[in-house]
Amino acid sequence: MMYEQYRCWILNNYPGLGTGAHIDLLAGSVAGGTAVLCTYPLDLARTKLAYQISDTRMVKSGGFRSYHTQPMYNGIRDVLMRVYSGGGVRALYRGVGPTLTGILPYAGLKFYVYEELKSHVPEEHQKSIVMRLSCGALAGLLGQTVTYPLDVVRRQMQVGDMPSSLNGEVRYGNSRERLRMIVRNQGWRQLFAGLSINYIKIVPSVAIGFAAYDSLKLWLRIPPRQKTQSISSAA
């Protein structure tokens, strides 16, 4: 939604920029940043729930000893309340810096590459689901590869205050310092650790998202951009 709104706003207020794929890059970047700011606390809670360690306690009952394992957090609400009570709103957005730094080029590249690839597809194949899936997959592949190191930094910052992640190391609050620390202590390859697994998730996700988006626009009979632009120009 925000991508289309930003795109229309740019075209209406800055006609000198033209109507090329660079508009998709700009609108997609700003839309991605807007989405991150609106949903980041939930992403923080998801990461903490995924990386949490269990609290194991020994319980004596009837002369027998048993061990009771309890998660550190009891759900999304518990995570958000405890994070907020520990550091306020700022704590809920811990790691948002590298996230924005990564999502701006990632979201922008997704839309840019997707629209640019579609512009080179013959007219008779424009409505093909396979074409949309292929263009979306390539867009997700390129965007994720370029911005993945910042995603690694983001996750390390999100779990940086958890006991399981400290291991006696000094905490780094700055994303640039965290990036340098990873390269110095673990090597540059660590910045791409898990990228192949992430491809399995991101590439089909982006491909299906773009294909479904364009297909719904077609089924809802929303005019293609070329026709919309020609109508606007004639008016």
Side-chain angles (χ1 to χ4, degrees):
M1 181 192 72
M2 296 309 302
Y3 163 70
E4 294 289 355
Q5 294 298 319
Y6 282 130
R7 189 177 187 279
C8 290
W9 183 81
I10 293 172
L11 291 174
N12 292 333
N13 292 276
Y14 299 95
L17 293 177
T19 59
H22 60 284
I23 301 298
D24 300 305
L25 176 66
L26 183 58
S29 298
V30 182
T34 302
V36 165
L37 292 176
C38 292
T39 62
Y40 188 79
L42 293 176
D43 185 64
L44 176 69
R46 176 182 66 111
T47 302
K48 286 186 174 294
L49 287 172
Y51 282 85
Q52 68 177 325
I53 60 174
S54 300
D55 182 16
T56 304
R57 299 179 181 179
M58 184 179 65
V59 179
K60 293 183 179 180
S61 178
F64 295 95
R65 295 180 178 179
S66 61
Y67 291 91
H68 177 67
T69 302
Q70 182 178 2
M72 180 180 295
Y73 299 107
N74 295 319
I76 296 177
R77 183 179 179 181
D78 183 43
V79 174
L80 296 177
M81 291 181 63
R82 290 171 63 177
V83 171
Y84 179 79
S85 62
V89 176
R90 185 174 182 177
L92 291 174
Y93 282 86
R94 177 181 177 83
V96 73
T99 303
L100 285 174
T101 306
I103 200 64
L104 293 179
Y106 172 65
L109 281 172
K110 277 197 311 182
F111 286 101
Y112 173 82
V113 173
Y114 181 70
E115 296 296 339
E116 183 68 18
L117 289 174
K118 282 203 311 178
S119 67
H120 293 84
V121 175
E123 183 67 27
E124 59 270 20
H125 298 299
Q126 283 289 335
K127 297 182 180 180
S128 171
I129 294 294
V130 176
M131 180 278 297
R132 293 170 182 167
L133 287 171
S134 301
C135 293
L138 289 173
L141 182 71
L142 178 61
Q144 185 65 24
T145 303
V146 172
T147 61
Y148 188 76
L150 293 171
D151 190 58
V152 173
V153 174
R154 171 180 66 89
R155 295 197 180 278
Q156 290 208 12
M157 291 187 70
Q158 285 180 339
V159 301
D161 58 346
M162 298 180 65
S164 59
S165 65
L166 295 179
N167 294 326
E169 294 183 358
V170 179
R171 234 186 278 178
Y172 291 81
N174 184 285
S175 57
R176 183 178 298 179
E177 292 178 357
R178 174 71 68 172
L179 185 65
R180 291 175 179 174
M181 182 189 70
I182 294 174
V183 174
R184 182 174 64 252
N185 296 341
Q186 305 174 45
W188 66 268
R189 291 180 181 273
Q190 184 63 29
L191 295 176
F192 293 91
L195 178 60
S196 58
I197 298 177
N198 217 46
Y199 282 152
I200 301 175
K201 169 192 171 185
I202 294 297
V203 172
S205 173
V206 175
I208 294 171
F210 275 124
Y213 178 66
D214 272 351
S215 297
L216 284 172
K217 289 175 65 176
L218 180 64
W219 294 336
L220 293 172
R221 298 182 180 179
I222 298 176
R225 287 180 178 174
Q226 294 82 357
K227 293 184 179 180
T228 304
Q229 292 169 4
S230 61
I231 293 174
S232 300
S233 300

